Amino acid sequence: MAILYALVARGTVVLSEFSATATNASNIAKQILEKVPGNDDSNVSYSQDRYVFHVKRTDGLTVLCMAEETAGRSIPFAFLEDIHQRFVRTYARAVHTAQAYAMNDEFSRVLSQQIEYYSNDPNADRINRIKGEMNQVRGVMIENIDKVLDRGERLELLVDKTANMQGNTFRFRKQARRFRSNVWWRNCKLTVLLILLLLVIIYIGVAFLCHGPTLPSCI
């Protein structure tokens, strides 16, 4: 699964979060919220081992996700933009006064659904490229998270590898089902064409027997 964790926050106040696997990403994400520089809108990324924390802050609302390094940037930032729009559209002005985790019961389900979509649906990146909305992401610098958090010791990110394997297995099974479906439809079309061809041959044969010059007419 490309995206493993996500949260929505106002400043350092987490309003909703969801984790697709067992990980301590929540603790690290909260430290990142305290270190994101300035108050202006920004897109930043912080690397840690084979994972990257992507952060998008717009109008005081911060959306963050942790993704595998192999996911690149376009998918995670498309996810963050999508989540930001959904959150603002759903809660409007309540965003500015809500208490910590006030929206978690409801919106964590949205985070779960969109993590699943952006991690496994090939159309996610395709639609994003068509929209052409990710040019701004190309200039995003990726910094090491230990440097940003200014820690004396190395920060250890713990991720349940089993969950990642399950995500990869899910994608494989989905692709296999799609392949089998395509093969089934192709076989169906071929069978129909063969039946039609056989009917045409039979029709021509019957017509020849009924109207041939050397045979009597059929009754």
Side-chain angles (χ1 to χ4, degrees):
M1 182 170 287
I3 300 175
L4 305 173
Y5 169 82
L7 69 73
V8 183
R10 184 189 68 250
T12 59
V13 179
V14 178
L15 302 176
S16 181
E17 69 177 341
F18 177 81
S19 180
T21 185
T23 175
N24 64 338
S26 178
N27 295 332
I28 298 176
K30 291 171 184 176
Q31 295 180 58
I32 291 176
L33 292 178
E34 298 175 354
K35 295 292 184 177
V36 175
N39 297 314
D40 298 331
D41 295 353
S42 61
N43 297 317
V44 294
S45 297
Y46 305 110
S47 64
Q48 175 66 13
D49 295 328
R50 294 180 294 105
Y51 302 94
V52 182
F53 287 82
H54 302 279
V55 186
K56 180 179 180 63
R57 184 168 56 195
T58 308
D59 298 330
L61 188 68
T62 301
V63 187
L64 175 152
C65 74
M66 183 187 80
E68 295 174 339
E69 190 176 42
T70 55
R73 302 186 190 183
S74 62
I75 286 290
F77 275 100
F79 167 80
L80 295 179
E81 176 65 24
D82 183 17
I83 293 300
H84 178 270
Q85 292 181 4
R86 289 172 183 269
F87 197 84
V88 172
R89 187 165 58 243
T90 302
Y91 300 108
R93 295 183 179 180
V95 170
H96 302 292
T97 57
Q99 300 297 313
Y101 293 97
M103 290 83 171
N104 198 55
D105 287 346
E106 180 181 17
F107 201 76
S108 61
R109 291 192 292 270
V110 177
L111 291 175
S112 174
Q113 292 169 358
Q114 296 310 106
I115 284 176
E116 174 69 24
Y117 171 69
Y118 280 91
S119 295
N120 298 308
D121 196 319
N123 289 322
D125 190 42
R126 193 175 306 140
I127 292 173
N128 176 53
R129 292 178 186 278
I130 292 174
K131 288 182 177 179
E133 294 178 348
M134 300 315 297
N135 290 332
Q136 56 183 340
V137 175
R138 295 175 183 172
V140 175
M141 297 295 294
I142 297 182
E143 299 184 66
N144 183 274
I145 196 170
D146 291 315
K147 178 181 177 181
V148 173
L149 298 184
D150 193 24
R151 295 171 58 94
E153 60 184 11
R154 179 174 173 77
L155 186 64
E156 185 177 5
L157 174 62
L158 304 176
V159 178
D160 185 353
K161 300 299 192 302
T162 303
N164 286 341
M165 292 174 63
Q166 291 174 346
N168 292 333
T169 301
F170 174 83
R171 287 197 297 273
F172 175 78
R173 289 177 178 173
K174 189 173 183 179
Q175 292 172 353
R177 286 196 299 269
R178 187 182 298 113
F179 175 76
R180 288 195 298 268
S181 178
N182 291 337
V183 171
W184 185 83
W185 277 110
R186 188 161 59 245
N187 289 339
C188 284
K189 293 177 182 178
L190 181 59
T191 301
V192 171
L193 288 175
L194 289 175
I195 291 174
L196 290 175
L197 179 61
L198 182 61
L199 290 175
V200 170
I201 293 174
I202 292 174
Y203 174 80
I204 293 174
V206 171
F208 178 79
L209 290 175
C210 291
H211 303 290
T214 60
L215 295 177
S217 299
C218 293
I219 298 175

